[in-house]
Amino acid sequence: MSAEKPGPTGNGSEPTGLALQRKLSLVDLLDPLTFGDVVESLGALYQVGVRVLDERNRTLADAQGAHGEFCGFIGANPTVRVRCSAQVTRVKEGPLAALPPSQVLGTEGAGELLLHTCLTGLCYVVVPVVWEGDVLGRVVFGPYASDEGGTPVCPEGPDAERVREAWASARHLSQEELARMVTHLSQVLTALLAAGQKSYLTGQLHLEAMVETQRELEHQNSQLLRLNQRLKESDRSKSSFLSTVSHELRTPLASIIGYSEMLAEGLVGGLNPEQMQFVRTIMEKGNTLLKLISSILDMSQIEAGKVRLAFEWVDVREMVESAITSVTPQAQRKGLTLEANLPVGPQPRVVADREKLRQVVVNLLANAVKFTPSLGRIEVRLSEVGTRSELATAGYHIEVEDTGVGIPENQRDRIFQSFYQVDDSPTREYGGAGLGLAIVKSYVEGHGGQVSVRSEVGKGSCFRVVLPKEPPLSGQGPAYIPPPVDTEPERF
Ligand code: ADP
């Protein structure tokens, strides 16, 4: 049965997936339930048995015909039964090319029909199912009694008459009827195979597209992982480079500062005013450089995850006062008013690393001094907060407010990133490396706290640190500050 492949669907694109390269089978192309119904109704319509087998001789559909009575009589003879079933097996399972055609029916639309006359006198017609040049299986019609001749094999004995009667009532088919039936099935099969192929290929191409997308995603994922790994490695190298360089710079710098201090104190003889001025400048610039190097070293330690917090009970007010003292000389030099507003109970204590906490306040105050023009004002406030604070636990707010240049809104999230400065031009007015706030954020968060900023350009800024009385991990001894991740700071 040469089921003809229909012409192109007209969408102009020939699919080229792997699904097209594979030889399809009837099982791939036909829906067993629908096809079973079609064959069933065809068998009922023509009153002939129809069996459809795939290329591995598996039965896909089977409609019984009206030959039962005759075959029953014939089958009662053991010798005939054995030969009969051997013939049936050959017709249904034997290689198509090896089937000895007794007769070939050439019928338009039906291809070649191989007619087999059974030893019982009944006939079978075997029609190969061919799709796109491949033999996908066969259809077996019959058995039936041919109108064109054929005589029954009648056993001798009392049943002979009944066998002749059964033969007479068996389904008789003319060649034309047979050709009509084959053409009928051929047309239905062509339509079903075309529809089945379309939906099979669509399904396969969809599947292949999904598999391809998945493969691409996996590839991109592994590339990202590799890149990430390389970034981490270069980050580690950067931190270790910064740490080594800073350490190596600090030692000679300490000598420069020490010797210029001795010169200024007159330990090696008096200096004239001009010499004194030069020595003081050396000391001042040396100290600025030392602070810068210390910040770089601190940040590289934080990024390497090497900063350890030594928790102890700390008097917050005393710690804030000490930080204020350390920036008072710079504030005075600029003519700034530095006010402390610390109205908390007798012993405001937190569990913290005192030095790290002091550095937090010093960094905020140093920025306030740096970014506030002469005659401006800086206020430091300390207040106790209850469990309804941002942290949902009791603690303290430390606020450093200035009347300085302010920070544009679109920069406020980024100033806590390391090396970020609002003005990063080579001609920028203020010194610094852009590390002070990154260190503040890491230290405060290491204590289980938060830092935030509000600001108005040209009017000033207010940095607020909220600290819990006891950091979550402080009960378990010293803690390491985790390396920073890119998160946006809280604002209020
Ligand atoms: P540095 O001060 O060394 O540049 P920081 O990390 O301390 O680095 O601050 C980052 C940037 O945030 C500063 O360069 C500045 O632009 C801005 N900034 C910080 N504090 C203030 C402030 N009080 N007023 C205005 N701008 C500030």
Side-chain angles (χ1 to χ4, degrees):
M1 184 166 298
S2 300
E4 292 296 320
K5 188 188 178 190
T9 49
N11 61 11
S13 62
E14 271 300 288
T16 53
L18 284 178
L20 275 182
Q21 293 162 20
R22 190 184 141 227
K23 184 191 163 197
L24 301 179
S25 71
L26 283 182
V27 180
D28 292 328
L29 299 174
L30 294 172
D31 169 48
L33 278 180
T34 316
F35 187 58
D37 288 348
V38 167
V39 169
E40 196 73 49
S41 59
L42 197 87
L45 185 68
Y46 290 94
Q47 291 290 299
V48 178
V50 184
R51 180 180 285 205
V52 182
L53 303 127
D54 70 4
E55 78 268 42
R56 289 159 66 188
N57 295 320
R58 288 173 300 189
T59 300
L60 299 184
D62 189 9
Q64 295 294 321
H67 57 278
E69 202 184 355
F70 179 74
C71 286
F73 286 129
I74 296 299
N77 180 321
T79 319
V80 175
R81 190 171 65 231
V82 169
R83 289 178 60 198
C84 178
S85 60
Q87 169 75 350
V88 168
T89 306
R90 261 200 309 281
V91 167
K92 291 178 181 171
E93 296 178 11
L96 281 170
L99 288 171
S102 322
Q103 200 176 345
V104 174
L105 298 178
T107 313
E108 207 185 309
E112 287 193 338
L113 306 183
L114 304 179
L115 178 66
H116 298 273
T117 310
C118 181
L119 74 162
T120 60
L122 293 177
C123 303
Y124 289 98
V125 163
V126 181
V127 186
V129 178
V130 181
W131 182 251
E132 293 187 319
D134 293 323
V135 177
L136 301 188
R138 71 187 69 185
V139 184
V140 179
F141 295 93
Y144 64 93
S146 172
D147 270 1
E148 274 71 42
T151 37
V153 176
C154 296
E156 298 302 320
D159 283 340
E161 187 51 31
R162 285 184 59 197
V163 168
R164 260 188 291 279
E165 281 168 19
W167 169 266
S169 64
R171 177 72 169 111
H172 287 246
L173 271 180
S174 67
Q175 272 199 13
E176 287 70 33
E177 271 181 298
L178 183 66
R180 222 177 17 254
M181 184 174 69
V182 173
T183 306
H184 190 160
L185 183 60
S186 171
Q187 285 167 347
V188 173
L189 201 53
T190 300
L192 289 177
L193 287 175
Q197 186 182 40
K198 201 170 165 190
S199 86
Y200 176 83
L201 290 180
T202 310
Q204 284 298 310
L205 289 177
H206 182 66
L207 201 70
E208 277 178 27
M210 300 235 320
V211 168
E212 188 55 31
T213 311
Q214 164 99 1
R215 210 176 295 138
E216 250 174 55
L217 279 176
E218 278 171 8
H219 178 67
Q220 285 174 359
N221 213 13
S222 72
Q223 269 186 327
L224 278 178
L225 280 175
R226 261 203 311 277
L227 268 176
N228 201 20
Q229 195 59 33
R230 254 191 267 158
L231 275 177
K232 276 188 186 159
E233 273 162 27
S234 76
D235 215 42
R236 263 197 296 275
S237 318
K238 184 197 81 183
S239 295
S240 104
F241 169 78
L242 286 178
S243 167
T244 314
V245 169
S246 319
H247 188 75
E248 293 304 314
L249 286 175
R250 265 215 305 203
T251 318
L253 195 57
S255 301
I256 293 171
I257 295 169
Y259 281 112
S260 49
E261 271 172 2
M262 285 195 283
L263 281 174
E265 282 167 18
L267 292 181
V268 284
L271 301 176
N272 66 34
E274 201 179 3
Q275 287 168 333
M276 183 63 89
Q277 164 109 29
F278 282 9
V279 167
R280 288 228 164 94
T281 306
I282 293 173
M283 261 167 57
E284 196 185 308
K285 298 295 176 196
N287 276 316
T288 308
L289 197 54
L290 188 62
K291 276 187 204 143
L292 199 68
I293 291 168
S294 300
S295 298
I296 294 175
L297 194 59
D298 288 347
M299 201 59 222
S300 59
Q301 299 285 331
I302 291 171
E303 285 182 348
K306 287 186 185 163
V307 176
R308 209 170 89 133
L309 294 175
F311 290 118
E312 58 179 325
W313 280 105
V314 175
D315 183 328
V316 207
R317 185 170 40 209
E318 185 270 320
M319 180 274 295
V320 172
E321 281 167 347
S322 145
I324 292 173
T325 310
S326 77
V327 296
T328 302
Q330 293 104 291
Q332 280 173 347
R333 268 203 296 278
K334 278 184 89 174
L336 303 174
T337 310
L338 187 49
E339 267 182 38
N341 192 349
L342 318 171
V344 281
Q347 256 205 327
R349 298 205 312 161
V350 290
V351 173
D353 182 315
R354 190 180 186 283
E355 269 320 299
K356 304 280 182 301
L357 220 50
R358 186 174 176 278
Q359 196 181 336
V360 165
V361 184
V362 168
N363 284 8
L364 294 179
L365 279 168
N367 276 347
V369 170
K370 188 159 62 173
F371 295 104
T372 304
S374 311
L375 308 179
R377 192 171 154 275
I378 296 169
E379 184 181 351
V380 186
R381 290 186 292 270
L382 176 65
S383 55
E384 193 164 0
V385 290
T387 49
R388 291 176 64 194
S389 71
E390 302 91 310
L391 303 178
T393 175
Y396 291 93
H397 275 164
I398 303 169
E399 287 178 311
V400 177
E401 186 162 14
D402 62 54
T403 56
V405 293
I407 303 157
E409 188 177 354
N410 61 353
Q411 311 275 330
R412 275 175 226 157
D413 290 345
R414 309 179 66 183
I415 54 174
F416 293 93
Q417 295 169 5
S418 37
F419 298 107
Y420 189 83
Q421 296 180 303
V422 173
D423 176 11
D424 60 355
S425 66
T427 56
R428 68 179 195 276
E429 194 180 336
Y430 310 100
L435 288 173
L437 290 180
I439 294 171
V440 166
K441 184 167 153 57
S442 289
Y443 284 178
V444 169
E445 288 177 357
H447 281 82
Q450 289 172 8
V451 57
S452 54
V453 62
R454 66 182 149 83
S455 181
E456 206 177 321
V457 175
K459 293 223 166 136
S461 312
C462 179
F463 285 83
R464 176 197 274 181
V465 170
V466 53
L467 278 179
K469 279 192 177 165
E470 289 190 41
L473 295 175
S474 61
Q476 298 164 23
Y480 282 90
I481 294 185
V485 282
D486 272 346
T487 47
E488 296 193 349
E490 291 283 312
R491 280 202 239 132
F492 57 93

